[in-house]
């Protein structure tokens, strides 16, 4: 019997998990240190029983909440506030149980350096802003306990403040790096899967479509029309395989098209399988993925080599405006017209140019169409771009085709949520 292959164990690492583990150990070690200080100075306290009562509460709290700081999920905001309250209570209780002379000499407070663990919890959980607020509260409580701004106290508190803020900032950077790494791994996995599918499609579907095209042209008649359609689908499918930007549709292809779809039956299948942007309007989205399905035998799509990132809502609206422009090409320039889509990623804006070789738009035609109530350009294109803070410009001359320039500023797109309006095409 052949030996079974050894399964690879995949371990998901979290860059902040070691920090939670370190914080758990820190709370225990600092509690032991605070207890040792208390026992050593027990006879020097003015009210040792009060100090002992607080140390018992601190020990019980640390023991009961031991698992709360073991992970980000368990460490809730309510727990962090409670942890900070326990530390502040110990600091403010120190003048009531200790002598004035000992406090003036700089004797540690009842919780001692255990207090820093409460501040570090805020830093790991919420970043440097949470750490700044928590450490500021702790610094204020220590100044009240000391009765003024003593040099050694201020020096120690500044160290705590700077260290907690720095750790919070490092945590934020680590989380951002983890998200970037996870995104890169997803892209790598998707690329490998695309290459596998491309090989399978090339060895089967594309060869069949090419054969149908050749045989149809040789037979003639209705078979020639069938061969022409097969050739169009072969070109569209090759474009999709080459770009690798199309994601599977959420429903069946038949559910994505209906009688109200303005695309004619001869439009490429790729347009029917147009991917949808993510549901989260603020989630980054690669605009190339939404424009690539427009490519076909009569539409050429040119794109940058790197992702063109916009918020999902803005990318969806811009892609819908491009679709409306292509619908205008099919309706007004004729079935045989060719179109070109050029996507450009500028430093401050994203520009999409849609050009066709149709008869062009007569001067004043767009204004006349708007007055007549045909608002395809006004709503489907200009309206969408206006909502995104962008512009739509038409360059056309009779007999020389039409060029539409759609420009969306990146800052405006990031700050606006698309309205999701759907318009009908028509000049």
């Amino acid at each position: 019997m052949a030996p079974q292959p050894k399964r690879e164990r995949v371990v998901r690492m979290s860059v902040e998990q070691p920090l939670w583990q370190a914080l758990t150990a820190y709370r225990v070690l600092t509690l032991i240190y605070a207890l040792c200080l208390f026992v050593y100075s027990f006879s020097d306290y003015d009210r040792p029983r009060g100090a002992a009562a607080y140390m018992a509460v601190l020990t019980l709290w640390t023991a009961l909440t031991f698992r709360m700081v073991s992970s980000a999920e368990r460490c809730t905001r309510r727990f962090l506030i409670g942890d900070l309250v326990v530390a502040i209570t110990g600091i403010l209780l120190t003048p009531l149980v200790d002598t004035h002379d000992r406090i003036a000499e700089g004797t540690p407070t009842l919780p001692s350096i255990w207090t820093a663990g409460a501040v570090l919890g805020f830093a790991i959980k919420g970043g440097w802003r949470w750490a700044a607020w928590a450490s500021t509260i702790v610094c204020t409580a220590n100044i009240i306990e000391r009765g003024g701004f003593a040099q050694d106290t201020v020096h120690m508190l500044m160290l705590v403040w700077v260290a907690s803020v720095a750790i919070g900032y490092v945590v934020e950077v680590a989380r951002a790096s983890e998200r970037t790494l996870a995104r890169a791994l997803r892209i790598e996995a998707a690329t490998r899967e695309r290459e596998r599918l491309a090989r399978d499609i090339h060895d089967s579907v594309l060869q069949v479509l090419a054969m149908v095209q050749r045989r149809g042209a040789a037979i003639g008649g209705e078979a020639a029309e069938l061969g022409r359609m097969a050739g169009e689908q072969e070109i569209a499918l090759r474009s999709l395989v080459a770009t690798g930007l199309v994601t599977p549709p959420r429903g069946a292809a038949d559910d994505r098209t209906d009688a109200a779809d303005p695309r004619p039956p001869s439009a490429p299948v790729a347009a029917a399988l147009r991917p949808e942007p993510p549901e989260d309007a603020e989630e980054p989205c690669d605009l190339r993925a939404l424009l690539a399905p427009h490519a076909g035998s009569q539409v050429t799509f040119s794109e940058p080599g790197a992702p063109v990132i916009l918020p999902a809502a803005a990318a969806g609206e811009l892609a819908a405006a491009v679709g409306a422009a292509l619908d205008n090409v099919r309706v007004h320039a004729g079935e045989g017209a060719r179109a070109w889509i050029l996507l450009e990623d500028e430093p401050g804006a994203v520009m999409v140019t849609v050009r066709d070789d149709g008869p062009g738009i007569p001067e004043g035609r767009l204004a006349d169409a708007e007055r007549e109530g045909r608002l395809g350009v006004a709503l489907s294109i200009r309206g969408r771009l206006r909502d995104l803070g962008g512009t739509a410009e038409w360059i056309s001359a009779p007999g020389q085709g039409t060029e539409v320039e759609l420009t969306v500023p990146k800052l405006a797109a990031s700050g606006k949520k698309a309205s999701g309006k759907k318009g009908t095409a028509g000049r």
Side-chain angles (χ1 to χ4, degrees), residues 267-307:
V269 166
L273 299 181
R274 189 175 305 157
E276 297 180 2
E279 294 181 358
D280 186 355
E282 301 302 323
E283 183 178 345
C285 178
D286 188 356
L287 182 60
R288 302 180 306 165
L290 304 182
L291 299 183
H294 290 298
S297 59
Q298 295 174 296
V299 179
T300 301
F301 175 49
S302 300
E303 58 180 299

Side-chain angles (χ1 to χ4, degrees), residues 27-45 51-52 54-56 58-59 102 107-114:
R27 285 164 57 86
V28 174
L29 293 176
T30 53
L31 174 64
I32 296 174
Y33 176 76
L35 289 174
C36 291
L37 287 179
F38 168 72
V39 171
Y40 179 78
S41 305
F42 180 81
S43 60
D44 297 330
Y45 282 98
Y54 173 78
M55 296 307 296
L58 181 63
T59 303
R102 279 170 47 84
T107 303
T109 60
L110 286 175
S112 184
I113 59 175
W114 184 92

Side-chain angles (χ1 to χ4, degrees), residues 114-379:
W114 184 92
T115 305
V119 177
L120 292 176
F122 277 91
I124 300 174
K125 179 69 175 181
W128 69 269
R129 293 176 181 85
W130 286 27
W133 281 105
S135 56
T136 301
I137 294 173
V138 169
C139 291
T140 304
N142 275 274
I143 293 173
I144 294 174
E145 180 266 342
R146 189 68 183 272
F149 291 88
Q151 182 177 359
D152 56 345
T153 302
V154 173
H155 177 71
M156 180 191 68
L157 296 180
M158 283 302 299
L159 287 178
V160 172
W161 196 90
V162 172
S164 60
V165 170
I167 291 175
Y169 179 75
V170 169
V171 169
E172 290 186 359
V173 173
R175 285 176 180 153
S177 301
E178 186 178 21
R179 289 193 296 268
T180 302
L181 177 60
R183 189 179 301 115
L185 292 176
R186 288 197 299 269
I187 293 175
E188 182 183 3
T191 301
R192 289 198 300 266
E193 180 65 12
R194 176 178 63 84
E195 292 175 351
R196 185 188 67 81
L197 292 175
R199 290 192 298 268
D200 294 343
I201 291 173
H202 180 271
D203 294 340
S204 56
V205 180
L206 291 178
Q207 292 187 4
V208 171
L209 291 175
M211 183 185 68
V212 171
Q213 180 185 17
R214 291 193 301 269
R215 294 291 296 166
I219 296 174
E222 294 184 359
E225 176 65 16
L226 180 61
R228 183 189 65 80
M229 295 175 62
E232 290 182 355
Q233 304 313 314
E234 180 193 2
I235 295 174
L237 188 55
R238 285 187 184 277
S239 176
L240 296 181
V241 171
T243 58
L245 296 171
V246 176
T247 56
R250 295 182 182 177
D254 293 338
D255 295 336
R256 297 291 299 275
T257 57
D258 52 33
D261 194 335
R263 291 187 293 268
S266 60
V269 166
L273 299 181
R274 189 175 305 157
E276 297 180 2
E279 294 181 358
D280 186 355
E282 301 302 323
E283 183 178 345
C285 178
D286 188 356
L287 182 60
R288 302 180 306 165
L290 304 182
L291 299 183
H294 290 298
S297 59
Q298 295 174 296
V299 179
T300 301
F301 175 49
S302 300
E303 58 180 299
V308 181
I309 302 300
L310 283 177
E317 287 296 278
L318 183 53
V322 173
L326 291 175
D327 289 339
N328 279 339
V329 173
R330 285 189 285 268
V331 172
H332 298 283
E335 292 292 333
R338 289 187 54 82
W340 292 264
I341 304 174
L342 174 62
L343 174 59
E344 299 176 90
D345 189 8
E346 302 293 340
V350 173
M351 179 182 295
V352 182
T353 303
V354 180
R355 182 171 61 87
D356 64 65
D357 60 356
I361 305 176
E363 185 176 356
R365 177 57 180 161
L366 294 178
D368 292 341
E370 187 170 350
R371 284 194 298 268
E372 294 169 3
R374 287 179 286 172
L375 303 178
V377 168
L379 294 181

